[in-house]
């Protein structure tokens, strides 16, 4: 894969998302783009963000761009701020998935195979997400598994 061409704003959003994941690792899961998970509650001195919202890398990029927490009673697109809703309205068919919206925020286009590779890498975990994203930014590739 070629090295990803992430915009300056996209790079800032990606690092903002990584900081949120590092600070609140229970809010990260590659198994879901973005949803409310009642089991994610404040714990001790470092409360989890997003009122129980759990998201993958794409979801955290959208949250870093200003999407609000996802209350259990609302769909994401009902809760989006106006600026992001206007961006989504310009998407093909007037709708964008979390992955498409995050791709648009990172590279300025609705679809990109290199970004899709990052968003669909289910080997990324809470413990290696920072390394995996930084490696992807340098190479456009998945983080090699140990022993390869």
């Amino acid at each position: 894969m070629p090295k990803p061409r992430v915009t300056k704003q996209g790079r800032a959003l990606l690092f903002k998302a990584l900081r949120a994941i590092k600070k609140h690792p229970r809010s990260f899961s590659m198994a879901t783009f973005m949803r409310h998970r009642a089991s994610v509650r404040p714990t001790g001195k470092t409360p989890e963000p997003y009122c129980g919202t759990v998201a993958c890398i794409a979801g955290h990029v959208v949250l870093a761009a200003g999407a609000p927490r996802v209350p259990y009673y609302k769909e994401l697109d009902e809760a989006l701020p106006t600026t992001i809703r206007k961006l989504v309205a310009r998407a093909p068919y007037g709708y964008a998935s979390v992955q498409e919206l995050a791709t648009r925020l990172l590279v300025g286009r609705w679809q990109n195979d290199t970004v899709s590779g990052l968003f669909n890498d289910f080997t990324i975990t809470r413990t290696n997400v920072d390394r995996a994203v930084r490696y992807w930014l340098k190479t456009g590739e998945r983080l090699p598994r140990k022993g390869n």
Side-chain angles (χ1 to χ4, degrees), residues 54-117:
V54 175
C56 65
I57 294 170
H60 272 280
V61 167
V62 173
L63 289 167
R69 302 171 182 108
V70 181
Y72 67 93
Y73 57 86
K74 276 192 173 181
E75 292 296 321
L76 173 66
D77 49 354
E78 292 175 25
L80 290 174
T82 305
T83 53
I84 296 179
R85 253 189 279 140
K86 286 180 180 177
L87 183 63
V88 170
R90 292 193 305 260
Y93 310 109
Y95 171 81
S97 68
V98 171
Q99 181 173 336
E100 289 168 330
L101 181 54
T103 300
R104 175 70 171 80
L105 291 166
L106 290 180
V107 297
R109 294 191 307 265
W110 290 105
Q111 295 182 354
N112 181 289
D113 290 340
T114 307
V115 177
S116 292

Side-chain angles (χ1 to χ4, degrees), residues 4 6-21 56-58 60-62 64-65 102 105-106 115 118-119 129-130 132-134 136-137:
V6 178
T7 66
K8 188 175 180 179
Q9 289 174 319
R11 192 181 261 304
L13 282 174
L14 192 54
F15 284 115
K16 185 176 179 181
L18 285 176
R19 286 190 301 276
I21 293 167
C56 65
I57 294 170
H60 272 280
V61 167
V62 173
L105 291 166
L106 290 180
V115 177
L118 174 68
F119 292 160
V129 64
D130 191 75
V133 169
R134 290 174 190 275
W136 173 81
L137 281 169

